[in-house]
Amino acid sequence: MGDGSFQITFIMPDGSRRVVHAAAGEDALSGHGRPGSLLDIALSQGIEIEHACGGVCACGTCHVIVRRGADSCSPPAEEEEDCLDEAYGVTPQSRLACQCVPDGTEDLEVEVPAWNRNLARERGG
Ligand code: FES
């Protein structure tokens, strides 16, 4: 490491693992959430995470659980914490994927909770 590149393992709702490679400090990749956020990185690599509000910290549907590497992530702002308060199944490691920006000093393991998928289903009809 040291060149700012790192790896994120997404644990999907069905238990499968998707490993992506990312570089810290990149410009917006997918146009969703903060540039370089977990949501931004995931969507740019074809990994679906719910993002009903488009990544502006208003819906809570992009809730993920950062199992490993949380220390390298931007600390949650007050509005993120307020939004998470409303989210379902919140844990101490919960973050909003659209607001959580890793700095690239550690590899991450990020769980996409099953209720994320269920919400997507319901909304999609
Ligand atoms: Fe809505 Fe993150 S996408 S809060």
Side-chain angles (χ1 to χ4, degrees):
M1 290 255 199
D3 60 355
S5 70
F6 63 110
Q7 184 176 296
I8 306 176
T9 303
F10 287 98
I11 304 166
M12 303 307 289
D14 66 1
S16 66
R17 287 169 179 255
R18 302 275 305 272
V19 179
V20 303
H21 297 274
E26 273 184 322
D27 291 338
L29 304 162
S30 70
H32 292 95
R34 293 174 64 192
S37 64
L38 295 177
L39 180 69
D40 191 26
I41 293 168
L43 292 180
S44 74
Q45 307 222 22
I47 294 174
E48 272 307 311
I49 295 178
E50 266 299 291
H51 52 284
C53 73
V56 296
C57 197
C59 69
T61 60
C62 66
H63 170 202
V64 294
I65 299 167
V66 181
R67 296 270 181 224
R68 214 154 45 81
D71 289 349
S72 70
C73 294
S74 58
E78 204 177 310
E79 52 176 4
E80 178 180 343
E81 283 176 344
D82 289 349
C83 193
L84 269 175
D85 278 348
E86 314 275 309
Y88 177 76
V90 172
T91 76
Q93 297 155 306
S94 290
R95 295 296 306 265
L96 293 181
C98 68
Q99 302 299 309
C100 179
V101 181
D103 68 11
T105 56
E106 278 181 60
D107 289 344
L108 272 74
E109 201 169 273
V110 177
E111 182 181 334
V112 182
W115 55 85
N116 187 289
R117 177 184 58 185
N118 295 341
L119 281 175
R121 276 226 190 102
E122 279 165 25
R123 204 171 298 113

